[in-house]
C-alpha cells in the first residue's frame, strides 16, 4: 500500500495505516493544508469558495465527504459538482469565480487508489512553489479552524457536465453541423466512470450515434483503466462488430483520450494530440508543446504547418507553463491529453473528441486513413519497479554520462535523442517506478532499444 505526496496533490491506496496510505485522516489533513494555503493566499476576502468534484471510484463518496467537511470546518464554502470529470472541474472554477478546486480521482490508477488533485483560482494545477507550501503546511499540522458562526456552507451544484459540453460547442473550431452531417457511429468505453456520463452526452449534442461500452458510472473498472492497447480488446472487437467509424476511450477522470480505428486497430494515444494539432494548425497559425515523453510526430506536424515545437518536462503544469511562454495554440501530453487554450489550460477529452470528429468530418478520410497519413513512429513504454535501496538519481546520472556524446536532456530525468529514435528515463510522480519510454521507426526497434537500456540500468544498479 502506498501514499505519494507531490506538488500536484496527494495520491494513495484506500485503507491501512495513517501516513502509509490514503486514509480518512490523510485526506482530512491534506484538505486542511490546501484550505489553509487558500486562506493565506486570500487574506482580504471575507469568504472563499472551492469547487469539489469526483470520478466514480468506489471510495469517492467517502473521501468527498471528508474533504468537503474539512474545508467547511476552515470556514470555506464548498460547491460540490458531484460525479464529474477533471476538465469539468477545471472549467467550473473560473466560471463560478471560485478560489480553487479539488478533483478526487487517481486518474488511470486501479480502483484501490484515489487522490486529491488541487487547482488554483484559474482552474489550473498548482505550480511547484505553491505545491511545496501546501506540503509544508501538512507536515507541520499548522491549521486554524473556524469558530461555529464562521463555518463554511456546503452546497450541491448540478448540471456542470452539461455546462462543460456547452462550452465545448461554443469553440470556433468545433463544427457540430459538419460532424452531424458525417453520420458517425462511435463506440465509447468509459471504464465505468464519469466519462460514461460526459462523452455520450457530448456525442448526442454533436449528432453522433453512440454505442456504449462500460459507461455505467459505478466505479467497478472492467479492465485496467489506463487506456493502453493491451487493455482495450473489448472495444476493438465491438467497433468492428458494430461497423462503427471509430472507438473512443477515456480514463476514469476523462483527461486522457485514446481512439480506435474502424478496423479495430489502435489510432494510438500518442496520435490523439497529433491529429487534433494537425486540425488546429490547419486553421490557426501557431506553435505547439508536448512533454519529453511524447512522440516526435507532433514536431513533424507542427513544422509542416510552419510552427515551432517545444518539449517540456513531464507534468501538466510544466506543459501549460511552456505553452504560455511560447504562445502555443495547442499542446498536451502524448498519453492522450489535449490542452487547447481557446477552451482552458487543462487536458480535456471532451475538447479532444470535438476537435477530432470535426477534423475527421471535414477531411473525409476514415480513421485508419487519417492515422496512416501521419509520420510512423512506434513507442515502447516500460517500467522498472523501485526498491528503497536503489540510488535512482545516481543511476540517471550514470546513464547521462554513458551517452554524453548524444543529444542528452536532463530537465526531467534523462532523455537521450539519437538520430532516428530516443529514450526517456524518469522517476514517476505518481508511482514508485522508473518509466522507460522509447520511440523508433518500428515497434521492434523501439522494444529492442527499451530492453537494451533496461539491461544497462540493471547492470549499473546491480540488480
Amino acid at each position: 500500500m502506498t501514499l505519494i505526496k507531490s506538488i500536484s496533490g496527494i495520491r494513495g491506496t484506500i485503507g491501512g495505516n495513517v501516513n502509509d496510505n490514503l486514509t480518512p485522516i490523510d485526506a482530512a489533513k491534506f484538505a486542511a493544508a490546501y484550505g489553509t494555503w487558500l486562506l493565506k493566499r486570500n487574506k482580504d476576502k471575507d469568504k472563499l469558495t472551492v469547487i469539489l468534484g469526483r470520478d466514480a471510484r468506489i471510495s469517492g463518496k467517502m473521501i468527498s465527504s471528508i474533504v468537503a467537511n474539512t474545508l467547511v470546518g476552515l470556514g470555506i464554502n464548498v460547491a460540490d459538482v458531484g460525479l464529474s470529470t477533471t476538465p469539468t472541474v477545471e472549467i467550473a472554477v473560473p466560471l463560478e469565480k471560485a478560489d480553487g478546486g479539488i478533483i478526487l480521482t487517481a486518474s488511470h490508477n486501479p480502483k484501490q487508489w484515489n487522490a486529491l488533485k488541487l487547482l488554483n483560482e484559474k482552474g489550473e494545477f498548482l505550480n511547484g512553489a505553491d505545491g511545496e507550501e501546501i506540503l509544508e503546511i501538512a507536515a507541520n499540522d499548522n491549521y486554524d479552524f473556524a469558530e461555529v458562526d464562521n463555518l463554511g456552507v456546503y452546497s450541491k451544484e448540478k448540471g456542470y457536465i452539461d455546462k462543460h459540453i456547452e462550452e465545448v460547442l461554443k469553440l470556433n473550431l468545433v463544427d457540430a453541423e459538419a460532424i452531424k452531417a458525417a453520420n458517425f457511429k462511435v463506440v465509447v468505453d468509459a471504464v465505468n466512470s464519469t466519462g460514461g456520463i460526459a462523452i455520450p452526452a457530448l456525442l448526442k449534442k454533436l449528432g453522433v450515434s453512440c454505442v456504449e461500452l462500460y459507461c455505467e458510472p459505478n466505479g467497478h473498472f472492467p479492465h485496467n483503466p489506463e487506456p493502453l492497447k493491451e487493455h482495450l480488446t473489448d472495444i476493438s472487437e465491438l467497433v468492428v462488430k458494430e461497423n462503427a467509424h471509430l472507438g473512443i476511450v477515456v480514463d476514469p477522470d476523462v483527461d486522457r483520450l485514446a481512439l480506435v480505428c474502424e478496423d479495430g486497430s489502435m489510432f494510438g494515444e500518442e496520435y490523439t494530440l497529433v491529429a487534433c494539432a494537425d486540425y488546429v494548425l490547419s486553421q490557426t497559425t501557431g506553435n505547439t508543446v508536448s512533454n519529453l515523453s511524447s512522440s516526435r510526430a507532433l514536431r513533424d506536424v507542427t513544422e509542416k504547418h510552419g510552427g515551432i515545437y517545444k518539449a517540456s518536462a513531464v507534468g501538466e503544469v510544466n506543459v501549460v507553463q511552456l505553452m504560455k511562454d511560447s504562445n502555443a495554440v495547442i499542446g498536451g501530453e502524448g498519453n492522450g491529453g489535449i490542452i487547447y487554450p481557446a477552451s482552458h489550460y487543462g487536458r480535456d477529452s471532451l475538447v479532444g473528441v470535438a476537435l477530432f470528429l470535426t477534423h475527421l468530418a471535414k477531411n473525409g478520410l476514415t480513421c485508419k486513413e487519417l492515422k496512416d497519413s501521419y509520420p510512423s513512429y512506434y513507442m515502447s513504454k516500460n517500467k522498472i519497479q523501485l526498491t528503497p535501496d536503489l540510488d535512482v538519481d545516481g543511476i540517471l546520472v550514470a546513464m547521462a554520462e554513458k551517452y554524453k556524446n548524444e543529444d542528452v536532456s536532463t530537465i526531467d530525468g534523462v532523455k537521450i535523442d539519437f538520430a532516428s529514435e530516443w529514450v526517456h528515463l524518469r522517476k514517476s510522480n505518481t508511482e514508485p517506478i522508473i518509466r522507460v519510454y522509447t520511440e523508433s521507426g518500428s515497434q521492434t526497434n523501439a522494444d529492442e532499444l527499451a530492453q537494451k537500456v533496461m539491461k544497462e540500468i540493471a547492470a549499473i544498479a546491480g540488480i
Side-chain angles (χ1 to χ4, degrees):
M1 308 297 272
T2 307
L3 183 68
I4 299 171
K5 301 172 184 178
S6 72
I7 61 169
S8 59
I10 185 170
R11 181 181 302 230
T13 48
I14 299 299
N17 297 319
V18 175
N19 293 323
D20 291 335
N21 310 280
L22 185 56
T23 68
I25 291 173
D26 293 291
K29 180 177 180 176
F30 208 75
Y34 173 70
T36 299
W37 173 78
L38 278 182
L39 290 166
K40 181 180 177 182
R41 183 181 174 91
N42 297 277
K43 290 180 180 178
D44 296 332
K45 292 190 72 171
D46 289 336
K47 212 68 174 176
L48 305 185
T49 298
V50 168
I51 305 293
L52 179 65
R54 64 182 178 92
D55 70 12
R57 288 169 189 276
I58 299 166
S59 61
K61 190 173 182 180
M62 180 265 289
I63 296 293
S64 180
S65 297
I66 293 166
V67 169
N69 286 304
T70 300
L71 294 173
V72 167
L74 286 165
I76 297 171
N77 294 337
V78 174
D80 187 353
V81 298
L83 287 173
S84 189
T85 77
T86 287
T88 302
V89 176
E90 290 171 345
I91 280 178
V93 171
L95 282 179
E96 291 296 317
K97 297 181 173 57
D99 302 286
I102 300 178
I103 308 120
L104 305 176
T105 174
S107 192
H108 62 274
N109 291 114
K111 69 177 183 178
Q112 64 266 34
W113 289 78
N114 212 330
L116 282 68
K117 296 166 76 170
L118 310 176
L119 305 176
N120 63 20
E121 73 282 357
K122 297 178 182 176
E124 299 171 10
F125 287 113
L126 308 185
N127 62 34
D130 292 338
E132 290 290 350
E133 188 173 347
I134 292 170
L135 290 174
E136 185 176 345
I137 293 169
N140 295 326
D141 284 331
N142 187 19
Y143 321 117
D144 183 13
F145 288 96
E147 296 182 3
V148 67
D149 291 330
N150 296 317
L151 295 175
V153 175
Y154 172 84
S155 63
K156 291 186 177 181
E157 300 291 332
K158 295 182 178 180
Y160 239 100
I161 286 178
D162 292 333
K163 291 181 183 179
H164 184 180
I165 291 170
E166 290 305 316
E167 291 297 312
V168 172
L169 297 176
K170 289 178 187 176
L171 294 170
N172 289 335
L173 293 191
V174 173
D175 192 334
E177 292 303 315
I179 294 171
K180 185 176 182 179
N183 291 315
F184 288 130
K185 182 180 184 181
V186 172
V187 179
V188 176
D189 177 355
V191 73
N192 283 343
S193 190
T194 49
I197 303 170
I199 300 300
L202 171 65
L203 294 175
K204 183 178 180 180
K205 287 282 188 178
L206 292 170
V208 175
S209 174
C210 177
V211 178
E212 297 183 14
L213 174 68
Y214 308 137
C215 285
E216 182 66 32
N218 57 26
H220 293 283
F221 305 150
H223 57 76
N224 187 306
E226 188 165 13
L228 303 177
K229 178 181 179 179
E230 56 267 30
H231 308 148
L232 304 179
T233 53
D234 290 352
I235 188 172
S236 295
E237 293 171 1
L238 192 56
V239 165
V240 175
K241 181 181 177 181
E242 292 285 345
N243 292 314
H245 293 87
L246 70 152
I248 291 173
V249 184
V250 292
D251 66 337
D253 69 325
V254 202
D255 62 0
R256 290 175 62 174
L257 171 64
L259 303 165
V260 179
C261 296
E262 71 279 1
D263 63 352
S265 64
M266 293 297 110
F267 193 86
E269 58 173 358
E270 288 291 332
Y271 281 81
T272 304
L273 175 56
V274 173
C276 290
D278 184 29
Y279 170 58
V280 169
L281 291 169
S282 74
Q283 306 295 314
T284 310
T285 301
N287 306 319
T288 66
V289 170
S290 64
N291 66 42
L292 286 166
S293 287
S294 300
S295 176
R296 281 184 180 176
L298 179 61
R299 178 199 65 183
D300 295 348
V301 166
T302 303
E303 292 175 353
K304 179 187 77 172
H305 288 289
I308 298 171
Y309 164 78
K310 292 184 179 180
S312 77
V314 173
E316 185 171 317
V317 65
N318 299 315
V319 176
V320 165
Q321 188 57 56
L322 189 54
M323 287 180 69
K324 292 177 178 178
D325 293 343
S326 56
N327 296 314
V329 296
I330 190 169
E333 298 187 295
N335 59 14
I338 307 298
I339 302 175
Y340 185 46
S343 176
H344 65 115
Y345 278 107
R347 291 178 296 165
D348 191 331
S349 293
L350 279 73
V351 169
V353 166
L355 290 175
F356 183 85
L357 291 179
T358 301
H359 188 30
L360 202 62
K362 286 179 175 287
N363 64 32
L365 300 175
T366 67
C367 196
K368 183 71 165 59
E369 288 169 343
L370 180 61
K371 168 64 187 297
D372 290 343
S373 73
Y374 295 124
S376 292
Y377 294 106
Y378 297 84
M379 267 197 180
S380 183
K381 298 184 178 183
N382 298 275
K383 304 173 182 178
I384 298 175
Q385 196 71 34
L386 298 181
T387 58
D389 59 317
L390 279 182
D391 179 10
V392 179
D393 292 329
I395 291 170
L396 296 179
V397 168
M399 289 298 291
E401 176 64 22
K402 181 178 179 66
Y403 287 98
K404 63 184 179 181
N405 293 327
E406 303 293 342
D407 182 6
V408 176
S409 169
T410 56
I411 66 170
D412 183 8
V414 175
K415 183 172 184 180
I416 307 160
D417 267 298
F418 304 100
S420 60
E421 55 190 11
W422 56 259
V423 58
H424 189 201
L425 312 171
R426 62 181 296 273
K427 290 186 292 186
S428 170
N429 291 328
T430 58
E431 300 176 71
I433 58 174
I434 296 178
R435 296 191 186 278
V436 181
Y437 286 6
T438 59
E439 184 176 68
S440 191
S442 73
Q443 191 62 57
T444 299
N445 289 348
D447 291 339
E448 288 178 351
L449 177 60
Q451 292 303 313
K452 172 177 177 287
V453 168
M454 290 170 74
K455 286 179 182 177
E456 293 170 349
I457 290 173
I460 291 170
I463 55 176

